Amino acid sequence: MKKTESELESRVIRGAHGVAAEEDHILTGKVVQVGVGALVIFIVGGIWAWRLQVATTHEFAPEGPAPIPALITPDKNHHTAYEIGIVNQRLFDVDTHAVEKIHSQQQALENGWAEEPGVVARPTISQAMDQVIAKQAAGRQQPAPAPTPTPAPQQPAPQRQ
């Protein structure tokens, strides 16, 4: 059945500035059906994935999950192992191991090295640097002597025949 022009014009809304628009026609029942259908499919898919994961876990580990390794479990002071393999297990902000190691190395360089306490087998780093600087300064003050040219040995002139 064809609508008349007056019926079509009755559905057109005219705004204050002359803008014409039609009424919105939303099929609420269809929108609700699609939303409910999507939720049902999502819930069924989630339950199916969970059951599949449980079945696969029981298939590959029938005794249950493996125990947590001893190095990972914290001791009575709530500390874990510093390193497992070559992986540093602590946060960099909390870890002071590297700072302590560098500090001890700097102390060894500053204090010199010794086999026995009180007997220094080599100079400290500052003493060694002072020696190098002193050698450089002494070398610059005394210019090296200029090499004296040695006369080239004379060869006898070739004879004509």
Side-chain angles (χ1 to χ4, degrees):
M1 178 168 134
K2 203 169 193 184
K3 296 188 178 184
T4 64
E5 194 172 318
S6 63
E7 287 178 334
L8 290 174
E9 292 221 3
S10 68
R11 294 179 169 251
V12 175
I13 302 169
R14 300 233 179 248
H17 300 289
V19 177
E22 287 189 30
E23 290 181 8
D24 291 333
H25 298 286
I26 297 177
L27 301 174
T28 310
K30 288 273 189 191
V31 172
V32 170
Q33 286 177 352
V34 169
V36 169
L39 284 174
V40 168
I41 290 171
F42 181 77
I43 290 171
V44 168
I47 291 171
W48 174 72
W50 172 70
R51 289 300 306 152
L52 184 65
Q53 189 251 342
V54 168
T56 305
T57 302
H58 285 300
E59 180 181 337
F60 288 108
E63 302 88 32
I68 297 174
L71 290 175
I72 295 176
T73 56
D75 60 8
K76 63 183 177 183
N77 297 327
H78 304 286
H79 298 321
T80 57
Y82 173 73
E83 251 182 27
I84 298 175
I86 60 169
V87 179
N88 189 350
Q89 299 295 319
R90 296 189 183 146
L91 295 174
F92 290 130
D93 296 340
V94 178
D95 187 16
T96 60
H97 182 260
V99 173
E100 292 168 2
K101 182 177 179 181
I102 290 171
H103 179 69
S104 67
Q105 290 172 344
Q106 289 292 332
Q107 285 295 105
L109 285 174
E110 290 173 6
N111 297 335
W113 173 81
E115 291 282 331
E116 299 174 20
V119 179
V120 177
R122 66 169 173 79
T124 64
I125 191 74
S126 60
Q127 290 172 345
M129 290 173 71
D130 289 342
Q131 288 175 358
V132 169
I133 292 170
K135 283 182 186 177
Q136 291 287 331
R140 287 186 183 166
Q141 289 174 355
Q142 300 173 357
T148 58
T150 58
Q154 296 199 0
Q155 295 181 357
Q159 295 178 355
R160 289 188 181 172
Q161 293 182 357

